[in-house]
Structures are given as C-alpha cells and as structure tokens.
Amino acid sequence: MAEPNRRQLAQPRVTARILRQTAKAMLPFYRKIAGNRTFAAQWSAAVVNADLSLMGSLLSQIPTLAGVENYGTNGIGYFISFPYPLPVAFYTNGTTIPPGTVQFTFNTRVHRTVALAVIPFYRKLSASSSYAEALAAAINRNDIRRVCTLIRNQIKTKALQTITIEDLGVALRFKTRFSKYPYRNLLFQENM
C-alpha cells in the first residue's frame, strides 16, 4: 500500500501573499465607492439589476480591477474573485446582505459606509507584510480572538457588529442606521 502524499493530506491554508494581493486590488475600489456617490449609485444599480455589463464597465475604471473577469452579483451583493495557483483556485472579496433576508436590495449609503470603514483594514493588509502574515496565521489557526484584535485595530466603527472566520477568510458583519438589513464584507476562498 502506497504512503499518502503529505501535500494531499495538508489542510488548506490562506497565505499572506493572497491576502495582500487581494487587498491591493480591492483598495482602490473601496476608495472609489466611499468617495464617489455617482459611481457608488451606479454600482448599486448594477448589483440589484444583475447587470454584469455595467459592473464590468465600472470595474474597468479602476486600474487594479480593469482586467478582472470573475465577478458577479446575486441581487443583494457582489463578489469579485481573483485566480491563484491550486489548491486555492480563487480568492474572493465582496459585500452582500445575508442570503434569505431580502431580494433585489442593495443600499448605496450603507455600501459607502462599509467601504469607508474597511479602507484602513485593506490599506494595512495591502501595505504591511507582517500584518498580513499575522492575519493569515490567525485565520489558519482558527484563532478568532487574534483575528478580531487585528481587524478591530483597523476598523473603528461601532457599525462593525461581528467578525467571523469563514472559508479561510473573514466575514465582517456591519449594521448601520441606514438599513434594517446587515451587510457583510467578505474575504474568502471559493469552495471548488
């Protein structure tokens, strides 16, 4: 009987490189959403109407996302995926209302509030290799206390209700006074 390949038995892990590259690509998008009401309103319309053509056109205005081909919407949020070598395949970022809550709703004001809140987190993640290493290590150990500390040091708003570790990434749940629905900013590995 052959000995199992150790690489096949290894648990999947997220790396600091994946976190940093994804954050670097997304940071200009969040800055544009937070800083440009017209762009943010167009993005929300594209999400609600599942208008992938408009989404692509808007993404093409952001140099770090101009060539991205893997994006989509479920009518209550959006997802932008970045290809990485196997075993990762795709690492995804997005913002969405939890499924089963409502349909065809995406509030521009809430999205801009979430974008403004996450900018310091994505900036730190993209700029600091030691921060990215620490976050990746905490996610891989399933150390929620450390993950919360690292993220809450960057995101100061009281609107950030919860932080969870999901799919080799993090889910940040925001609740604002502008909507009765919570919004989740997600950073995760696609399940293939």
Side-chain angles (χ1 to χ4, degrees):
M1 186 168 179
E3 184 176 316
N5 182 334
R6 286 202 171 128
R7 290 186 84 138
Q8 291 172 338
L9 295 178
Q11 291 294 326
R13 301 173 62 80
V14 67
T15 65
R17 183 180 70 80
I18 289 170
L19 292 175
R20 285 189 74 199
Q21 286 180 347
T22 303
K24 277 182 185 180
M26 291 302 298
L27 182 58
F29 173 80
Y30 289 119
R31 285 181 173 146
K32 185 92 169 188
I33 290 292
N36 186 319
R37 183 178 291 126
T38 301
F39 181 89
Q42 291 175 325
W43 183 261
S44 293
V47 167
V48 171
N49 297 314
D51 188 340
L52 295 177
S53 177
L54 179 55
M55 287 176 79
S57 174
L58 293 168
L59 290 174
S60 72
Q61 297 176 32
I62 299 167
T64 58
L65 298 176
V68 112
E69 296 177 0
N70 302 295
Y71 55 89
T73 176
N74 56 7
I76 56 171
Y78 62 89
F79 303 94
I80 300 170
S81 298
F82 302 92
Y84 289 99
L86 291 174
V88 174
F90 289 97
Y91 206 77
T92 299
N93 183 238
T95 301
T96 187
I97 298 170
T101 309
V102 68
Q103 291 182 317
F104 307 110
T105 297
F106 195 76
N107 185 303
T108 301
R109 193 166 183 185
V110 175
H111 189 216
R112 293 185 75 209
T113 300
V114 169
L116 188 62
V118 300
I119 286 170
F121 169 58
Y122 287 100
R123 184 174 48 235
K124 181 75 168 184
L125 192 55
S126 64
S128 171
S129 57
S130 61
Y131 181 81
E133 290 283 351
L135 184 60
I139 291 168
N140 290 326
R141 287 192 316 268
N142 204 32
D143 184 348
I144 191 61
R145 292 179 87 181
R146 180 71 173 139
V147 166
C148 286
T149 298
L150 288 165
I151 292 173
R152 287 195 184 274
N153 282 341
Q154 301 305 314
I155 301 177
K156 305 293 188 183
T157 180
K158 292 179 182 176
L160 177 57
Q161 287 187 318
T162 62
I163 300 168
T164 54
I165 298 171
E166 297 178 17
D167 300 317
L168 294 176
V170 292
L172 313 177
R173 186 178 194 265
F174 293 86
K175 183 71 176 80
T176 73
R177 61 188 172 92
F178 308 121
S179 173
K180 63 181 180 179
Y181 306 111
Y183 282 65
R184 299 176 81 217
N185 183 262
L186 307 168
L187 200 57
F188 65 97
Q189 182 177 319
E190 290 281 343
N191 291 322
M192 292 295 172

